[in-house]
Amino acid sequence: MRAHHLPTIVALSVLAASAGCSKAPLGAADVAPPHRHHHHPPHAGTPVVLGDEDYHIELVLDPSAGVLQAFVLDSEMENFVRSAAPRIEMTATVAGAPHTLVLQAVANPETGETVGDTSLFEGRAEWLKATKEFDAVITSVEIRGATFTDVRFNFPKGNDTDG
């Protein structure tokens, strides 16, 4: 080894040693709380988780028309997911009384979605015009071969506990 390389080797050794020692010792300040991710419904609606966050349904109410829309979304609520399901059925409890609500598959020519291949479902009911909050159960819905049953949620809170 030549003497003129010695200062470079010493400098690199010092840098390597100090880089290894620059990490602060582990302590209570280094323990971060578990990461909780947040889902942001694209239409500012109510998030309903299906399964172990396999999919989400975003519910959007138009009270003046008495219409409830359901958008089927992926696990992060970022992309629409098309479903072959002809409908989504739910039972809502309003002031102690059960109400069946059927949301039919909706075609959308702008996106090329058709009944049997859509991410949008829609239902109408007079009681939706006067109801701002209700508890409900999606009795059954199939998305891409997976069936989800007895999915409980509150409207407008949803059932997504990560938020």
Side-chain angles (χ1 to χ4, degrees):
M1 179 180 324
R2 294 193 166 153
H4 69 279
H5 290 313
L6 189 57
T8 303
I9 293 171
V10 170
L12 289 174
S13 298
V14 169
L15 280 174
S18 66
C21 295
S22 66
K23 192 172 188 180
L26 290 176
D30 293 328
V31 178
H35 174 68
R36 295 176 64 98
H37 61 281
H38 298 278
H39 300 115
H40 302 284
H43 304 95
T46 297
V48 176
V49 177
L50 299 177
D52 187 21
E53 295 204 40
D54 299 314
Y55 300 100
H56 285 82
I57 291 179
E58 178 189 14
L59 298 173
V60 179
L61 177 63
D62 178 352
S64 62
V67 173
L68 185 66
Q69 292 181 315
F71 296 89
V72 180
L73 299 159
D74 65 9
S75 62
E76 296 298 320
M77 295 191 86
E78 295 173 349
N79 300 298
F80 295 99
V81 175
R82 294 182 182 197
S83 172
R87 73 189 62 78
I88 297 173
E89 294 183 26
M90 65 177 69
T91 302
T93 302
V94 180
H99 295 274
T100 299
L101 182 62
V102 178
L103 286 71
Q104 299 289 340
V106 176
N108 183 345
E110 292 177 23
T111 62
E113 292 184 14
T114 59
V115 171
D117 184 36
T118 187
S119 62
L120 177 60
F121 296 80
E122 191 173 274
R124 294 180 185 276
E126 281 299 312
W127 60 267
L128 286 170
K129 292 180 179 180
T131 304
K132 294 183 179 172
E133 182 174 354
F134 56 88
D135 290 320
V137 177
I138 296 174
T139 52
S140 181
V141 62
E142 183 179 333
I143 301 171
R144 294 188 175 172
T147 301
F148 303 94
T149 57
D150 298 322
V151 179
R152 298 182 182 284
F153 66 94
N154 171 274
F155 186 89
K157 296 175 187 171
N159 69 352
D160 190 346
T161 58
D162 281 345

